[in-house]
Amino acid sequence: MSFHTLGEVLRGRAAEHPDRPAMRAGDRTWTYQSLHTESSRVAQAMLSEGVGGQDRVAVLDRNVPEYFTFLFGATMIDAVTLAVNWRLAAPEMEYILNHSQARVLLIGEEFLGHLALMKLETVSKVVVIRSGSDTTSDDDSYRKAVAELSETYSCTEYAEWTEGRESTDPAIVCDPENTCYQLYTSGTTGLPKGVELTHSNLLTGVATGASEWGIDPTSVIMVAMPLFHIAGSGWALSGFHEGAEAVLVREMDPSEVLRLIETHKVTNTLFVPAVLQVLSSIPGVEKTDFSSMRSIIYGASPISEEVLVRSMKVFGCGFVQVYGLTETTGAITAMPEEDHDPGGPKAHLLRAAGRPAGDVKLRIVDNEEGRDCDEGEVGEIWCQSGQNMKGYWRNPDATAEAFPEGRDAKGLGWFRTGDAGYMKDGYLYIHDRVKDMILSGGENIYPAEIENVLMAHAGVADAAVIGVPSEKWGEAVKAVVVDAPGASATDEELSAYCRERLAGYKCPTSIDRVEALPRNPSGKILKTELREPYWAGKGRRVN
């Protein structure tokens, strides 16, 4: 079955297999028909709020089923769903919601405290998802929070918002090249960028993924990665695209993940290396019944051979490595099960990121000399694919920089990934990052964001942030600080200052003091020189 828009995916599967389970979350189950019906009610509710074509609507919560009724409902009226990282600090969330110009905000009850700290410019409707029996607040405090927010916004609960709405799919005509999904990446200059993904981007990506990852209508996929990441939401949509069943994990509780795999006979899942490291090390993990498992997809950060080999032994299923970015709608390479051969003749491929997948074409470019690199020569990875983003929302300069050679009449162009690597025998190897990005536990962290916060503290005269090796997370965030004359701050004070303004995973885990930061004649900090002592002896500058 061929689909052109995300709305068509749900309509098609509901028509073809109305009674097949589409999604399980806790003790609730949606068939494809009931998922279509509830999504239609959400679409009607959005229309009643005045949401129109290409308007932005936002979701701020953990992995909840309402995320998908909201997403599919928005696609039915040609609106754009924005996923907000719930791990961010309130000021970071505020910037994203204002920059996106979101009209409606679907928010989990536990994040109402964050909302109270924000001043939103375009949101007029707030729809609250009650936490149920696991709520961290009592009814009195909840009612008080909603009452205070109601002075600024029109607030209602999700159940009330959708109850009594028509269950008719508006089926508004939507151009496949229209944006339907928007995710924010950390910004190299300190401000996040909104990645616009079209229906065509998403459907190209999920169709390729389903093929490469072995997802079919008989699959039961576990969705355990955060939905504000393409690794979570894109993975889930691959399952819906194929008419598979999705088991939604609210948050990464290792014991619960193992229980759900056994209980629901999960066949396919996606984990980042940090999660594989934890799951494969849980005492008694060998008692879990993994007989239903067909494959595990892993990526988003480098993995050690020790963790990979241990995980392969524990889970006893096929493993597929992937590499990609939000801007490429997720994975653009795949290294299949047959290439995972620890101790065998293909063992060297464990350091590779796989071959280009689907319609993906890769180039390795020497940016300084303006030429394509030879086989085995390190350069920046450039990608051409129908998965490449439409652009950065309200940021034409950044979009133009990302596509330095422009795009053709079909919208295809070469996208600069910012990662350095090389090609050998058709396989891509990741070597380093052209940008200063830190990759910790699968999260992209840009030093500029943290440096901007540190430099605002009166006790800091100068600051640089770098990634250093971490056995658990791959990389950890380290701040190198020059104290302000007569106004220095302790490590504890700087850490607390950062936690108030940044997501916890972005905050430095260690702080070093120096008299001066190394800079070149133009004043740019020499990050390579700063990193060298911590990476000495490492074969590549990604861990």
Side-chain angles (χ1 to χ4, degrees):
M1 186 176 290
S2 179
F3 305 112
H4 299 95
T5 68
L6 202 53
E8 288 181 8
V9 171
L10 184 55
R11 293 183 192 110
R13 294 308 177 197
E16 184 181 22
H17 301 293
D19 299 324
R20 176 180 292 171
M23 178 171 59
R24 299 184 189 275
D27 57 1
R28 295 186 289 170
T29 301
W30 287 257
T31 64
Y32 273 95
Q33 181 58 61
S34 62
L35 182 58
H36 179 252
T37 298
E38 186 171 337
S39 299
S40 297
R41 290 196 175 102
V42 169
Q44 296 289 352
M46 287 183 182
L47 288 175
S48 73
E49 303 296 344
V51 176
Q54 295 299 282
D55 281 344
R56 268 58 180 172
V57 293
V59 183
L60 171 53
D61 202 357
R62 297 178 189 267
N63 286 10
V64 292
E66 291 83 358
Y67 180 97
F68 292 104
T69 60
F70 204 72
L71 173 60
F72 281 120
T75 67
M76 293 175 180
I77 63 170
D78 194 26
V80 180
T81 300
L82 164 75
V84 181
N85 183 341
W86 50 262
R87 298 177 65 186
L88 298 178
E92 297 172 297
M93 295 175 177
E94 177 185 272
Y95 173 81
I96 288 172
L97 288 166
N98 286 336
H99 180 266
S100 68
Q101 300 176 323
R103 297 279 304 279
V104 176
L105 172 62
L106 178 69
I107 186 170
E109 176 184 350
E110 69 174 295
F111 299 104
L112 293 179
H114 291 69
L115 180 56
L117 299 175
M118 301 182 215
K119 185 177 181 181
L120 302 184
E121 299 167 354
T122 57
V123 169
S124 58
K125 186 71 175 186
V126 173
V127 182
V128 183
I129 304 171
R130 291 301 308 269
S131 300
S133 59
D134 61 347
T135 180
T136 57
S137 63
D138 57 34
D139 283 343
D140 288 342
S141 60
Y142 167 74
R143 283 195 293 268
K144 180 180 178 181
V146 171
E148 291 175 351
L149 289 169
S150 294
E151 297 178 4
T152 305
Y153 313 100
S154 171
C155 296
T156 187
E157 290 184 16
Y158 175 84
E160 297 174 352
W161 191 55
T162 56
E163 187 177 8
R165 303 284 183 182
E166 290 184 25
S167 58
T168 304
D169 182 343
I172 292 174
V173 177
C174 179
D175 187 331
E177 300 307 318
N178 280 357
T179 305
C180 72
Y181 199 42
Q182 191 160 307
L183 297 173
Y184 274 76
T185 66
S186 296
T188 55
T189 59
L191 294 175
K193 293 180 289 188
V195 177
E196 292 190 75
L197 300 178
T198 66
H199 293 271
S200 181
N201 292 151
L202 275 172
L203 295 183
T204 299
V206 300
T208 297
S211 173
E212 294 283 348
W213 307 332
I215 300 176
D216 62 33
T218 68
S219 298
V220 179
I221 70 167
M222 170 173 280
V223 182
M225 295 297 96
L227 294 174
F228 58 75
H229 273 315
I230 194 67
S233 50
W235 168 252
L237 292 175
S238 293
F240 292 133
H241 184 272
E242 298 303 306
E245 176 183 333
V247 176
L248 188 61
V249 180
R250 178 177 171 82
E251 56 188 315
M252 181 44 66
D253 178 336
S255 298
E256 179 67 1
V257 165
L258 297 181
R259 185 189 72 80
L260 290 173
I261 289 176
E262 189 172 77
T263 300
H264 295 297
K265 305 299 181 186
V266 170
T267 61
N268 308 73
T269 190
L270 184 154
F271 294 133
V272 297
V275 171
L276 282 173
Q277 181 179 13
V278 172
L279 292 176
S280 62
S281 302
I282 294 177
V285 65
E286 67 280 354
K287 296 178 183 179
T288 303
D289 181 5
F290 294 121
S291 60
S292 63
M293 291 293 299
R294 300 174 189 171
S295 69
I296 291 177
I297 316 304
Y298 67 98
S301 64
I303 189 170
S304 71
E305 186 170 339
E306 176 190 0
V307 171
L308 177 57
V309 172
R310 184 173 72 232
S311 299
M312 292 172 67
K313 181 178 180 180
V314 167
F315 289 97
C317 64
F319 275 65
V320 178
Q321 181 176 178
V322 297
Y323 159 77
L325 301 86
T326 304
E327 289 91 336
T328 61
T329 321
I332 54 175
T333 70
M335 189 168 73
E337 175 183 354
E338 55 267 27
D339 284 343
H340 287 69
D341 185 30
K346 291 186 177 181
H348 63 284
L349 292 178
L350 293 179
R351 307 307 299 170
R355 294 175 178 269
D359 73 338
V360 171
K361 297 178 181 178
L362 297 178
R363 288 167 60 191
I364 307 298
V365 179
D366 184 324
N367 293 322
E368 291 187 6
E369 298 186 11
R371 63 174 180 85
D372 285 8
C373 295
D374 296 328
E375 174 100 347
E377 183 182 2
V378 175
E380 184 177 14
I381 302 164
W382 288 28
C383 166
Q384 183 187 82
S385 168
Q387 295 180 208
N388 283 348
M389 66 173 182
K390 180 178 180 178
Y392 293 115
W393 171 245
R394 300 174 62 196
N395 197 337
D397 291 341
T399 301
E401 184 179 350
F403 294 93
E405 295 180 355
R407 288 187 265 193
D408 62 21
K410 296 181 180 179
L412 290 176
W414 288 96
F415 170 76
R416 296 182 59 178
T417 67
D419 291 327
Y422 61 92
M423 298 292 296
K424 185 176 181 181
D425 299 326
Y427 289 83
L428 174 67
Y429 290 78
I430 309 298
H431 179 75
D432 202 342
R433 278 183 289 279
V434 175
K435 303 170 185 174
D436 292 327
M437 185 182 76
I438 299 167
L439 197 49
S440 181
E443 295 282 4
N444 291 347
I445 302 170
Y446 284 96
E449 290 186 278
I450 309 162
E451 290 164 353
N452 288 347
V453 170
L454 287 169
M455 290 295 291
H457 193 286
V460 176
D462 204 358
V465 172
I466 58 174
V468 296
S470 166
E471 186 65 30
K472 181 176 183 180
W473 303 113
E475 291 179 274
V477 179
K478 175 179 284 293
V480 183
V481 171
V482 177
D483 291 331
S488 62
T490 66
D491 290 0
E492 291 75 17
E493 288 171 339
L494 290 179
S495 295
Y497 186 78
C498 287
R499 284 195 298 271
E500 291 175 0
R501 293 159 177 81
L502 296 167
Y505 67 87
K506 297 179 183 178
C507 296
T509 59
S510 60
I511 300 174
D512 287 355
R513 312 285 173 143
V514 295
E515 291 187 4
L517 294 174
R519 295 180 182 271
N520 65 13
S522 65
K524 183 178 180 180
I525 297 174
L526 300 174
K527 293 285 184 77
T528 302
E529 186 174 319
L530 276 179
R531 282 191 290 259
E532 186 56 36
Y534 306 99
W535 290 93
K538 297 283 185 180
R540 57 181 185 163
R541 291 319 195 240
V542 288
N543 195 37

